Amino acid sequence: MSKIHVTATVNGDPVEFLADPRETLLDALRNHLDLTGTKEGCGTGDCGACSVTVDGTLVCSCLMLAAEANGKRVETIEGMAKEELHPLQRKFIEHAALQCGFCTPGILVAAKALLERNPDPTDTEIRYWLAGNLCRCTGYDKIVRAVQDAAAEMRQDHRGAA
Amino acid sequence: MRYHTPTTFQDAAAIAAASTGTLRFLAGGTDVLVQMRAGMVQPDDLIDLKHIPGVDRIEKTPEGGWRIGVAVPGIVLGAHKELVRDWPGVVEGMNLVGSTQVQGRATLAGNLCNGSPAADSVPGLFAAGAVVTVTGPKGSRDIPVEQVPVGPGRTSLAKGEVISAITLPPRAKNGGDAYLRFIPRTEMDIAVVGCAVNLRLDGDRVAEARVALGAVAPTVILSEACAQAIIGTTLDDAALAALAKAAKGAAKPISDKRGTKEFRIEVAGVLARRAARIAYDRAKGMKA
Amino acid sequence: MARDDVKTGYKLIGTRPNRPDGLDKVTGRARYGADFSLPGMLWAAVVRSPHAHARIVKIDASKALALEGVKAVVTRADLPTGLTGEDLNLQDNTLAGDRALYDGHAVAAVAATSQLLAQDAARLIEVEYEVLPHVTDVDAAIAPDAPVIRPGVADYSVPEGMHGNVARYMEFGHGDVEAGFAAADVVREHTYRTEATHQGYIEPHAAVGQLGEDGRGEMWVCTQGHWYIRRMSAAVLGIEAANLRVTPSEIGGGFGGKTTIFMEPLTLALSKKAGGRPVKLVMSRSEVLRATGPTASASMDVKIGMKKDGTITAGQVYFRMQGGAFPGMSPIGEALPCAFACYDIPALKHEGIEIITNRPKAAAYRAPGSPMAAFAVESMIDELCRELNLDPIEVRLKNGAKNGSKSSYGPVYDVIGLQETLQAARAHPNYSIPLGPNQGRGVASGFWFNHGGETSVSLAIGEDGTATVSVGTPDIGGSRASIGLMVAEHLGIPYENVRVNVVETGALGVNEPTHGSRATFASGKAAIEAANQAIREMCRRAAAEWGIEPEAVEWRDGAAHPAGPNAGKHPPMTIGEIGAKMGSTGGPISGHHEVTAGGYGASFGTHVVDVEVDPETGRTTVLRYLVVQDAGTAIHPAYVEGQYQGGAAQGIGWALNEEYIYGPDGRLQNPVFLDYRIPVASDLPMIDTVIIEVPNPGHPYGVRGVGETGITPPLPAIASAIAGATGVRIRSLPCSPPKVLAAIKAAKG
Ligand SMILES: Cc1cc2nc3c(=O)[nH]c(=O)nc-3n(C[C@H](O)[C@H](O)[C@H](O)COP(=O)(O)OP(=O)(O)OC[C@H]3O[C@@H](n4cnc5c(N)ncnc54)[C@H](O)[C@@H]3O)c2cc1C
Ligand code: FES
Ligand code: FES
């Protein structure tokens, strides 16, 4: 089976690899690029553990072929912390918003995408935005609180900067 | 599997026509990739439509309707203020599909062509009287959306045919539409029953109506009886009761893992009532 | 970092520091089961039976083996024969023998150079089946015409004349139940049913295994207990457990489901056949749902007698539970003792049977057996409360077990906190919020035994005065943080100076898995003993330097102090000072403790839930939820709350929408998260928690396990809340909308 040559930008870095046409972006991230922070919980779009952004849009990397990422800009959990942790990452630790932590990368990526669109979401908006990110450990309570706290801090910083 | 990236619908149709094995088009991939993963489908040819110029656009037609490209994902539909103002029911149907992540990819055309009787955007398209443009090796034609699905997982499209656009008619003055579905959870479920209502008022009276039901028959269905139950009424309690009765009569569901036959019939009536109420309020310009 | 509650005078216990593994987990660096890779590694895929019950006539792997890049295929013929008992069951479940016993039962496995290639190869393995009659429902399996799935499965306990699918029988009780029922004002009797549910951890099972010609191997695996994996895998493959080294990865949830093996030995068997190349096997979600341990489904008869004042005079249960196609897997032995564990009732009778069906081999799931038992008994008590117009909390306070009560299953309770949870629930604002139309409130209590178990822990003092603790219980929900807090408290050093690692099988004696809510309790207790040993040694070193008797030295605030009148005046010697020179004062300082930990304290909780039911669709919305549970001592309150909330969420899922749905063909119809409906974020409200602290006298810091009880009360509490909202009682879970709507319509007539 002939492979497809894919070039993309992942977390700001140029990457290229050969993909089987059936391989998903998730497979490529994990197996070709060694970015195992993005998780597979289902492989069928139901759990959100594989969440990444592609050209700024939140998607399930298991529902996209690696070949479709050609020429795209992909952001994963590994690119979230710059010099410092992103406020969401910090607040998730502080609020104990993770237990096993398996859903955490996907939820952080999804929550970041939310706060970029809506810096002041209601609890309900957070819950619906994250409805495609299953967490079996926490009951979501501390996740919602951590997102709210991070949002509040980011609004504060934003105001401070302005 | 061969992965194709044609840049015109003619090329896409030609590749499809020439394919001798299992063929799928790739729009958002939220059905195709799931089916591949589950081993249900192993395409020999996969034709990605997203490299065709214009497929990601929403354009106003000269008549005042909306022409929607086949690769426009739900999240873009939902963010289009004018489209949402004209066709809130169509957009809310599409926006119910899957999660935020799925919304980033899933398309109207894919939802329609996947052929599920439970497809959430399809009742809204039926009720709206949407028209789809079908491009084949011999050129393009426009057909009413109701003619596309013919059975679970099956469409009327011939080999080599692809949908190249979906067009919503101009929104009539004093018109409104709405879609409701029933699912056991709040999100991430496939509709157990769905109902879309599109209507136009003349004063307080319903002048025209189209009512479509999902997940109660082998395909989404348009119910003339439901429409007749409310046309000419002010959508008073008697009209709503008649509508519920008509919807229950139109529903011919099966029992399966997602719901019993009796439940689907009962809830079809409930949703028809509730969706009609919302569409009516929207037509009146009331917030809903 | 202030303590939540200062009364105990601890410095660290009760605070909420960041967990040590938090940073790795929010940055994607933490390595879970599927994240390991090794040079030369192959990928595996498994061929599974599409039939619920079938004889395997022939397996032809020639087409698969002909593919370039396919390196090995294993079938049952590659595994040793002659196993017995549970070892044979494990082997039978790893790869079917002459018969496939459930939809999804593994039949063959293949290793190839890529995951896609392995999957392609698996599709090319041809298996010829002769389909046999099957049964999947717990009650249908003991109907006279049900096929006997595993002839001869019954053990000594099963009375003669029972159906051939009955594998076990249990009976116990006390008092005269007939006299008790006669003394009651109302006696009611009903049958309750719960469907099987899955633990639903988001991380699928994954392992990388390597086994050489010399019979020595290694495995990296996501598991709750790597010593169990080692012993079981070795047994299935007929190798020495000591020759296998198993390293646990970070684990993406387990809830009991990762305490046993499913496919792990296949990585080793394939590796051996492929010349010792490491083999990685990651289950798909549908494999997880079809072939890894769901819990039992249950059908339960309950009879209870109550006086008008709410006094329960007698109770009687008969439970039928199926745990799949293998004996010993249903939690009947836990469900029965849990049934009335919250109560002190003069006369009780418990009976139950375990039934074999064509379903996957069940595994433990959070408080195994207790949620089903609670659904039956707590629902019935609520029915009686409503009938007699009694407050459900008052009735529980009146009949509830107290310190020194003889438990329903025999032992006498020591110090327990049930009454305190009830009082706190009654006092909580949620209990008096007025309800609107179509709304209802449900109350239920729950119980779990908790567990100690085999535990081995080591602790080493560093030159810099830190302590490194090695434990053998994988950390699922923050146990490293909790153990670190206790050790830091005990040594009198900062939390940041204690590092807790979960280590591999070569590094410690045998540890039972993280199960039974035991990690913080048992590994914590052993870690404290290990710290005591290190403290004694540090005191000895200080004494030697000061030239006094070791007995004249006491340890406090992270330093050795001279104690007593004859010790003399010496400035305290800190752990840092002792550590810095330990090389010249006698060598490394460490502590070690191994024990089969006793002294675990029973756990009780009480939940209050408000729901609203749409009377036209039967759909239930959870409006608010309160968990009150006794933690003994909450070492790290945030993770205690997390356990309460997570348990409640799982129980809510079980009550409302989760269920295994089998078709008439015996195939599982919903092996994906789209149709196996666990709660999503928008389904749930905030989950309020109240931590009760009635310290467990069996633990130096009063710890009780907190992980399991929380899943138990939601099942009956939700059904009771729905009864309050609608007037109809759902006695068969889940309370799915079609069922609730049908009941509402039937009640209207
Ligand atoms: C987690 C999850 C949740 C979901 N929830 C819902 C839900 O709530 N409601 C719902 O209705 N659906 C749901 N779906 C299904 C799916 O997301 C929708 O059907 C979606 O709209 C499909 O669009 P797509 O662009 O992704 O289609 P694709 O997967 O790209 O294509 C689907 C089918 O349509 C064909 N096709 C696509 N475009 C064309 C075209 N232009 N011409 C001809 N044929 C074409 C393809 O060959 C294929 O057979 C869900 C899916 C997932 C993974
Ligand atoms: S792995 Fe992609 S959604 Fe679950
Ligand atoms: S923390 Fe375990 S799944 Fe979310």
Side-chain angles (χ1 to χ4, degrees), chain A residues 45-46, chain B residues 25 27-32 49 98 107 111 113 119-120 163 181 189:
Chain A
D46 303 322
Chain B
F25 293 104
T30 60
D31 280 315
V32 172
L49 301 174
T107 66
N111 198 224
C113 295
D120 279 312
I163 291 183
R181 70 169 179 184
D189 283 332

Side-chain angles (χ1 to χ4, degrees), chain C residues 543-726:
Chain C
E545 185 148 334
W546 293 331
I548 60 175
E549 288 300 308
E551 291 75 47
V553 180
E554 72 173 14
W555 189 265
R556 115 177 92 80
D557 298 333
H561 297 257
N566 305 323
K569 286 219 180 305
H570 303 281
M573 197 181 290
T574 65
I575 188 171
E577 289 162 353
I578 298 170
K581 55 189 168 194
M582 64 188 169
S584 57
T585 60
I589 299 174
S590 61
H592 181 80
H593 192 72
E594 44 209 1
V595 65
T596 297
Y600 51 90
S603 162
F604 294 89
T606 299
H607 294 197
V608 179
V609 57
D610 291 352
V611 304
E612 181 168 327
V613 179
D614 181 340
E616 291 187 324
T617 64
R619 197 170 168 288
T620 299
T621 302
V622 180
L623 300 173
R624 53 189 81 83
Y625 203 99
L626 170 67
V627 180
V628 186
Q629 189 179 315
D630 175 20
T633 301
I635 301 298
H636 191 305
Y639 288 103
V640 173
E641 291 159 4
Q643 289 296 320
Y644 291 3
Q645 291 165 336
Q650 289 182 331
I652 292 169
W654 200 334
L656 288 178
N657 285 310
E658 289 180 37
E659 63 178 318
Y660 264 50
I661 305 172
Y662 280 92
D665 57 2
R667 289 182 191 165
L668 182 62
Q669 297 201 334
N670 57 338
V672 286
F673 275 138
L674 201 57
D675 287 310
Y676 182 80
R677 303 186 183 104
I678 75 173
V680 303
S682 46
D683 291 342
L684 297 176
M686 288 297 184
I687 297 172
D688 303 325
T689 56
V690 175
I691 300 175
I692 301 293
E693 293 188 286
V694 176
N696 167 23
H699 185 279
Y701 291 110
V703 169
R704 296 175 200 270
V706 296
E708 292 174 274
T709 305
I711 196 178
T712 294
L715 284 67
I718 295 228
S720 297
I722 291 173
T726 62

Side-chain angles (χ1 to χ4, degrees), chain B residues 184-250:
Chain B
R185 290 182 292 188
T186 50
E187 278 280 359
M188 301 306 287
D189 283 332
I190 298 303
V192 183
V193 184
C195 179
V197 176
N198 177 31
L199 46 74
R200 184 176 64 78
L201 300 183
D202 188 357
D204 287 344
R205 295 203 178 266
V206 178
E208 284 177 73
R210 285 166 69 92
V211 179
L213 293 168
V216 293
T219 65
V220 171
I221 53 171
L222 199 60
S223 167
E224 185 56 30
C226 287
Q228 288 309 327
I230 54 173
I231 290 174
T233 74
T234 57
L235 215 64
D236 53 8
D237 287 350
L240 288 172
L243 171 63
K245 186 152 175 264
K248 283 157 82 172

Side-chain angles (χ1 to χ4, degrees), chain C residues 250-394:
Chain C
E250 291 296 331
I251 171 171
F255 314 111
K258 290 179 183 161
T259 53
T260 183
I261 55 167
F262 294 101
M263 53 61 178
E264 291 77 2
L266 295 175
T267 63
L268 299 170
L270 287 164
S271 171
K272 182 132 189 243
K273 264 197 138 176
R277 287 175 75 168
V279 173
K280 177 159 162 172
L281 179 48
V282 182
M283 277 189 165
S284 70
R285 176 54 49 183
S286 64
E287 287 182 289
V288 170
L289 288 169
R290 284 168 75 203
T292 71
T295 186
S297 61
S299 167
M300 301 165 285
D301 305 333
V302 184
K303 184 175 178 183
I304 292 177
M306 195 183 272
K307 288 194 173 160
K308 284 198 180 110
D309 69 353
T311 307
I312 301 174
T313 56
Q316 181 176 324
V317 294
Y318 194 112
F319 288 179
R320 295 164 293 276
M321 300 185 120
Q322 70 75 29
F326 298 86
M329 298 322 295
S330 84
I332 191 81
E334 291 84 21
L336 288 172
C338 287
F340 291 103
C342 290
Y343 297 95
D344 195 344
I345 298 173
L348 289 175
K349 182 170 179 203
H350 308 74
E351 261 185 294
I353 52 175
E354 168 173 272
I355 297 166
I356 300 294
T357 63
N358 293 111
R359 291 198 187 203
K361 190 173 192 277
Y365 180 23
R366 215 166 191 158
S370 190
M372 301 83 152
F375 176 63
V377 170
E378 292 289 282
S379 290
M380 166 67 90
I381 289 176
D382 192 76
E383 290 192 51
L384 287 164
C385 291
R386 284 177 201 272
E387 183 174 344
L388 294 172
N389 207 9
L390 297 168
D391 179 89
I393 293 188
E394 297 305 331

Side-chain angles (χ1 to χ4, degrees), chain A residues 1 3 20-24 27 30-31 34-47 49 77-81 85 88-90 92-105 108 123-124 126-142 144-145 148, chain C residues 16 18-19 21-23 25-32 34-35 43 115-117 120 123 198-204 250-253 255 280 283-285 365-366 476-478 636-639 641-643 645-647 649-650 653 658 672-674 676 678-682 684-688:
Chain A
M1 211 167 286
K3 300 225 167 168
D20 183 295
R22 293 178 295 166
E23 258 174 321
T24 63
D27 296 334
R30 294 180 52 84
N31 300 336
D34 288 330
L35 292 170
T36 54
T38 306
K39 304 298 178 199
E40 174 172 321
C42 69
T44 50
D46 303 322
C47 78
I77 184 64
E78 286 93 343
M80 194 159 167
L85 289 184
L88 279 163
Q89 292 174 305
R90 209 163 10 82
F92 266 57
I93 301 178
E94 285 172 23
H95 284 264
L98 52 143
Q99 283 177 32
C100 78
F102 195 77
C103 67
T104 309
L108 287 168
D123 285 1
T124 306
I126 294 172
R127 287 182 183 275
Y128 276 86
W129 182 273
L130 294 178
N133 289 89
L134 300 179
C135 174
R136 189 58 156 171
C137 299
T138 64
Y140 305 104
D141 183 304
K142 292 184 188 301
V144 174
R145 289 175 203 277
Q148 285 294 22
Chain C
R16 301 170 179 243
N18 290 344
R19 62 198 276 175
D21 51 326
L23 184 58
K25 287 183 173 165
V26 298
T27 51
R29 281 199 297 267
R31 290 210 288 175
Y32 293 83
D35 300 341
W43 287 81
Q115 192 171 22
L116 281 170
L117 186 59
D120 287 341
R123 272 190 285 273
H198 195 275
Q199 298 83 353
Y201 32 79
I202 308 300
E203 179 196 32
E250 291 296 331
I251 171 171
F255 314 111
K280 177 159 162 172
M283 277 189 165
S284 70
R285 176 54 49 183
Y365 180 23
R366 215 166 191 158
I476 310 188
H636 191 305
Y639 288 103
E641 291 159 4
Q643 289 296 320
Q645 291 165 336
Q650 289 182 331
E658 289 180 37
V672 286
F673 275 138
L674 201 57
Y676 182 80
I678 75 173
V680 303
S682 46
L684 297 176
M686 288 297 184
I687 297 172
D688 303 325

Side-chain angles (χ1 to χ4, degrees), chain C residues 718-744:
Chain C
I718 295 228
S720 297
I722 291 173
T726 62
V728 300
R729 172 67 57 172
I730 305 296
R731 297 199 185 95
S732 160
L733 292 185
C735 300
S736 56
K739 209 182 276 175
V740 174
L741 186 63
I744 292 173

